[in-house]
Amino acid sequence: FSIPNIADFLTQYPGLRSFLMETAQHRMLELSRLSNFQRGATMPAMGGKSSPMRSLLAGRYEVSAMLGEGGMGTVHQGFDRSLERKVAIKRVRSEYAAEPTVRARFMQEARMAARLSHPYIVAVHDIIEEAGELFLVMEFVDGRPLDTLIAEGRKFTLNDCETLFSFVCQAVACAHWNHVLHLDLKPGNVMLDRMGFAKVMDFGLARRGGSGPREIAGTPTHMAPEQHRAEYGPASDVYALGVCLYEMLTGFLPYVGP
């Protein structure tokens, strides 16, 4: 059979399609090559009955629709069965989770971010390692990131920015007070909830100020000049906030270039 013929054949016999997929999935699970999370994620794509995707993580967290995707991984909506609340679950990309050095550093940084407790910082609830994969369970924010609003053409007034930045600056000040640098502040990492409050999220590149190996980290369009030389401090986050403010007021970056 050619590939199109096989596809047509399986379309005519959906029961056989599901049987073959479930058999393959069970075999992969036996070989420890497919986690329960991956099994749940593949069912809708392969024509299974579990749509939308829903799987159980660590026997506690239900994982459902994907909310977004970034450089470090995908973010899914979840539900904490124990505390009966919505959560956001970030699945770290396999290439990061599989590399021991990167994995260890990420775990350290995630634990560091989890110690930050502030009403305007998206809280990290749990870190889970399961079947070779790495997950972060975070506070669910019912809202939208600022970069989406800017892309839709929303212009923020100076009064809007003053209000929102009063929240963001308090969050960054809390991190700096605890000797933590964010190093990736940008509109995509600031959530505006339905109550009008702003919350800073994604401390995935966070560093403890003054310690650890130095390396280039951040989003180039929002990085302070010194970050491109693997040098950074609290002022680097302040620079990024200035870029964010310019974007919110104008809808554009303050400069155009590679």
Side-chain angles (χ1 to χ4, degrees):
F1 289 126
S2 66
I3 294 300
N5 286 339
I6 292 175
D8 292 342
F9 178 77
L10 292 177
T11 301
Q12 294 176 22
Y13 299 95
L16 178 60
R17 180 191 182 101
S18 297
F19 171 76
L20 292 174
M21 278 306 305
E22 290 179 10
T23 300
Q25 288 169 341
H26 284 304
R27 182 56 178 158
M28 291 290 283
L29 283 169
E30 290 173 1
L31 295 174
S32 299
R33 292 184 178 179
L34 193 65
S35 69
N36 288 325
F37 181 91
Q38 290 171 322
R39 183 180 188 276
T42 57
M43 286 298 290
M46 297 301 181
K49 297 179 181 178
S50 301
S51 184
M53 181 273 286
R54 184 171 294 276
S55 59
L56 191 63
L57 183 63
R60 173 177 176 177
Y61 302 104
E62 296 179 9
V63 188
S64 54
M66 187 170 77
L67 300 175
E69 186 172 5
M72 291 294 293
T74 55
V75 179
H76 299 259
Q77 183 173 321
F79 182 77
D80 183 346
R81 288 184 175 181
S82 297
L83 297 178
E84 297 185 345
R85 64 180 178 181
K86 289 182 179 180
V87 294
I89 299 175
K90 184 171 187 176
R91 176 177 180 262
V92 180
R93 293 190 185 280
S94 300
E95 55 266 33
Y96 292 110
E99 176 58 41
T101 303
V102 177
R103 184 187 185 92
R105 188 180 70 232
F106 184 86
M107 292 289 288
Q108 179 182 0
E109 293 164 1
R111 292 188 180 103
M112 180 171 59
R115 288 195 290 268
L116 296 176
S117 177
H118 193 276
Y120 305 137
I121 293 178
V122 176
V124 175
H125 295 320
D126 205 351
I127 307 171
I128 298 171
E129 295 182 87
E130 185 173 286
E133 294 191 278
L134 190 59
F135 302 87
L136 288 183
V137 181
M138 303 173 291
E139 171 190 358
F140 176 80
V141 180
D142 187 9
R144 306 174 74 192
L146 287 181
D147 64 342
T148 299
L149 299 175
I150 293 172
E152 291 175 351
R154 176 170 173 178
K155 297 294 191 299
F156 293 87
T157 66
L158 192 58
N159 285 338
D160 292 335
C161 293
E162 182 179 1
T163 299
L164 294 178
F165 269 76
S166 69
F167 307 133
V168 174
C169 288
Q170 287 183 65
V172 174
C174 172
H176 289 181
W177 181 263
N178 287 279
H179 309 288
V180 173
L181 307 175
H182 189 289
L183 298 182
D184 198 23
L185 289 167
K186 56 186 177 182
N189 283 337
V190 177
M191 290 289 292
L192 181 61
D193 70 15
R194 295 186 182 277
M195 298 290 290
F197 294 99
K199 287 177 173 278
V200 178
M201 63 179 181
D202 203 349
F203 278 75
L205 295 180
R207 298 287 188 277
R208 185 163 290 279
S211 66
R214 294 277 169 158
E215 59 183 34
I216 297 176
T219 300
T221 53
H222 293 75
M223 287 165 57
E226 66 271 15
Q227 279 183 263
H228 294 273
R229 302 190 301 269
E231 301 172 4
Y232 38 77
S236 305
D237 281 344
V238 176
Y239 177 94
L241 289 176
V243 178
C244 292
L245 176 60
Y246 188 97
E247 275 187 275
M248 291 175 67
L249 288 171
T250 68
F252 302 98
L253 287 166
Y255 42 78
V256 179

